[in-house]
Amino acid sequence: MTSDSKSVSSNLSSASSGRTSSGRATPVSEPTGNIVPTSRSGDFMSFLKDVLSFTGDLSSMTCPSFLLNGISLLEYGAHWSDYPHVLAEITKATSSEERIKLVARWFVSTLYGSYNKRVAESNSGEKKPFNPILGEQFLASWDDAEYGETKFVCEQVSHHPPVSAIYFENAQAGIYGSGHFSQKSKFKGTTMKVVQEGRVTLRMKNSDEFYCLSLPDLNICSILSGKPFLEMSSTTFIRSSKGYTAEFHWYTKPWLYGEYHKFDGKMFKDAATTFVQDSPAQEQLFTFRGKWVAESRVTDVATGEDSVLFDVQAQPSADIIIKPVGEQSELESRKVWQKVSEALNSGNYDVASKEKTVIEEAQRALRKSRAEAGEQWKPSMFYWVDDASDNEAVKACYTYLYSAKESIGTGSWVYNNSPHLAEQSAAPSAYASGTQTPSDAFSTAPSSVL
């Protein structure tokens, strides 16, 4: 892929882009820019009244077009690969102790892009992404001078409830992962609480050890002021198949004092089959602390050696490569939402609302026709596996995690062509349609870098 076949839209000034002149991230805690156009302030107040009186899952509410960011929720999953070299370097570990630390480092590297970057680059509040249509897909890749290409695919595998499945792989390094995520949200006081349900499983070809990850909960703050931003909350875990565990505690800023985006935690070996908080049987290995939007540090319990775990500002994330919209299939995110995004970018919110309604009505008609014909829709790239029917090692790993965080659920969406399937005697279940392979998903056509 030649450089003249790519277009880069990241040449924003350092003041507006959330990056320094060297291209490194500059995190933002409380944005100064209001996301509500002055002409829409009345509509915004009406929407807030509806939200505050709504008792169900807020994701089912229709959001005014002027509060949409023009991006599908599927694109957010790509932040699992923001730093391809950090992912690939996990395979260089020569011990389980070193590997759990590198997996934790990679996990922390995914957070800035997922939960702060959009606010930092615009210095205005967080807007809502599009709810993906059933079967919608997002495909991307990244190039790294040392580790080659990292690929990513995401598919909306359920609409009610909304669930997005992801897969990422660096074939040269021999590391890959799959998982899924969904959100349930409700207002509590003046903050929107978002419980993230789902999990990610990370595997390597040069090791039989794999890793199971849970997801953090989120607080969306300052909604009433029109300057919303995200904080992470609750506790998350990484559990390896050999009993190594990383435990993360995410802190929201106290009302009158303190700082935003802080976290701490520890890594330990635990032979138990279920998690017990601060169990004396846990063999402590490392502690860590810091800010997930800036620098975090890790300390070796045995030696006292202290070092950087990950520093968001020390290096820019990799450029994401996406095919031009004209070369995308009808189910790819930017093709699906093209007209809505164009209207939003031009500030024509009425047209955006009309185009969004066209998509939603078409989906309703499609669901109705399937129901009348007795057809069951199936994802093209993923299939579902219950923990109870998975292999014993996976079952044991997630049993441990479930005892600590029930939001991981009791099963996984697995990529049809995941390399670990070739090592198992059983092929993917009949639920998988298997209509798309990695070579189908990624072509050598000219692409755009965003």
Side-chain angles (χ1 to χ4, degrees):
M1 190 175 300
T2 60
S3 59
D4 60 0
S5 68
K6 303 176 183 178
S7 63
V8 181
S9 65
S10 59
N11 335 332
L12 304 174
S13 68
S14 60
S16 62
S17 69
R19 290 192 175 275
T20 65
S21 59
S22 61
R24 293 174 173 81
T26 302
V28 170
S29 295
E30 295 187 72
T32 60
N34 198 302
I35 63 172
V36 182
T38 304
S39 62
R40 302 282 174 162
S41 57
D43 295 333
F44 179 63
M45 294 306 298
S46 297
F47 175 66
L48 282 182
K49 290 178 182 178
D50 292 339
V51 169
L52 292 172
S53 62
F54 192 75
T55 57
D57 181 5
L58 292 173
S59 63
S60 62
M61 290 191 68
T62 299
C63 182
S65 60
F66 60 85
L67 297 180
L68 299 173
N69 66 8
I71 300 172
S72 173
L73 181 63
L74 291 193
E75 295 202 26
Y76 287 24
H79 292 298
W80 287 93
S81 302
D82 271 348
Y83 295 88
H85 70 283
V86 175
L87 173 67
E89 284 171 1
I90 297 171
T91 62
K92 290 185 174 183
T94 57
S95 68
S96 293
E97 290 85 354
E98 182 182 3
R99 196 174 296 115
I100 186 69
K101 185 168 68 171
L102 292 180
V103 174
R105 172 184 177 235
W106 161 69
F107 176 59
V108 173
S109 79
T110 71
L111 302 176
Y112 170 73
S114 296
Y115 306 124
N116 189 259
K117 183 179 181 180
R118 291 173 298 278
V119 170
E121 292 189 342
S122 65
N123 200 20
S124 63
E126 184 81 55
K127 288 189 173 184
K128 184 182 182 299
F130 299 132
N131 291 330
I133 65 172
L134 187 64
E136 182 180 328
Q137 301 170 3
F138 179 71
L139 316 176
S141 63
W142 299 258
D143 287 330
D144 183 84
E146 181 176 357
Y147 294 103
E149 185 179 41
T150 297
K151 297 180 179 181
F152 173 85
V153 299
C154 187
E155 181 177 18
Q156 191 71 4
V157 294
S158 174
H159 189 68
H160 294 295
V163 180
S164 308
I166 65 171
Y167 176 80
F168 50 89
E169 176 184 6
N170 184 296
Q172 181 175 316
I175 189 166
Y176 56 98
S178 63
H180 66 275
F181 60 89
S182 64
Q183 294 86 23
K184 291 184 177 180
S185 53
K186 62 180 180 180
F187 252 95
K188 186 175 181 181
T190 59
T191 298
M192 185 184 295
K193 303 285 187 179
V194 182
V195 175
Q196 292 206 105
E197 299 183 337
R199 55 173 66 176
V200 170
T201 308
L202 183 69
R203 292 180 168 91
M204 284 145 276
K205 293 181 179 179
N206 68 348
S207 173
D208 60 355
E209 189 171 20
F210 59 86
Y211 295 82
C212 303
L213 293 80
S214 66
L215 306 177
D217 293 341
L218 305 171
N219 288 10
I220 305 180
C221 310
S222 297
I223 295 176
L224 302 184
S225 69
K227 303 174 183 179
F229 64 95
L230 295 174
E231 289 192 277
M232 289 169 54
S233 61
S234 73
T235 304
T236 55
F237 297 85
I238 301 172
R239 174 70 172 178
S240 90
S241 56
K242 293 186 177 180
Y244 291 83
T245 303
E247 178 182 343
F248 298 81
H249 299 274
W250 312 101
Y251 300 107
T252 59
K253 179 184 177 294
W255 185 37
L256 296 176
Y257 59 91
E259 298 179 86
Y260 287 108
H261 310 316
K262 295 181 71 174
F263 77 100
D264 61 28
K266 57 187 177 180
M267 301 177 221
F268 53 87
K269 186 173 184 181
D270 188 1
T273 57
T274 57
F275 173 76
V276 176
Q277 185 71 53
D278 298 323
S279 168
Q282 296 171 357
E283 179 187 344
Q284 304 301 316
L285 302 172
F286 304 99
T287 61
F288 49 86
R289 74 282 177 200
K291 290 187 174 184
W292 55 268
V293 298
E295 182 185 87
S296 53
R297 302 189 69 83
V298 58
T299 302
D300 188 311
V301 171
T303 66
E305 180 183 355
D306 186 76
S307 59
V308 173
L309 179 65
F310 186 74
D311 186 353
V312 172
Q313 295 171 278
Q315 54 192 319
S317 58
D319 287 327
I320 187 170
I321 302 170
I322 306 165
K323 287 190 296 185
V325 174
E327 298 174 18
Q328 295 184 12
S329 74
E330 294 302 314
L331 281 175
E332 289 185 60
S333 295
R334 296 194 177 185
K335 189 67 168 285
V336 170
W337 300 102
Q338 181 180 12
K339 292 181 179 179
V340 187
S341 295
E342 289 174 348
L344 290 175
N345 289 337
S346 65
N348 198 331
Y349 301 115
D350 292 334
V351 171
S353 297
K354 291 177 182 178
E355 293 293 349
K356 183 170 175 284
T357 299
V358 169
I359 295 171
E360 293 167 344
E361 290 298 332
Q363 287 299 300
R364 292 187 186 99
L366 190 55
R367 286 196 296 272
K368 182 180 179 181
S369 65
R370 286 185 184 129
E372 291 173 347
E375 296 177 356
Q376 181 185 7
W377 179 85
K378 297 178 181 179
S380 67
M381 294 191 289
F382 295 86
Y383 70 102
W384 176 259
V385 178
D386 283 311
D387 288 343
S389 60
D390 213 328
N391 68 58
E392 290 302 317
V394 173
K395 188 188 305 183
C397 207
Y398 278 116
T399 295
Y400 181 95
L401 271 193
Y402 188 81
S403 67
K405 196 170 180 72
E406 293 185 1
S407 60
I408 65 166
T410 57
S412 301
W413 283 99
V414 178
Y415 184 57
N416 292 344
N417 299 290
S418 179
H420 81 281
L421 297 175
E423 303 170 3
Q424 299 178 356
S425 57
S429 71
Y431 188 77
S433 59
T435 59
Q436 190 167 30
T437 67
S439 58
D440 293 330
F442 296 92
S443 72
T444 57
S447 302
S448 61
V449 180
L450 302 179

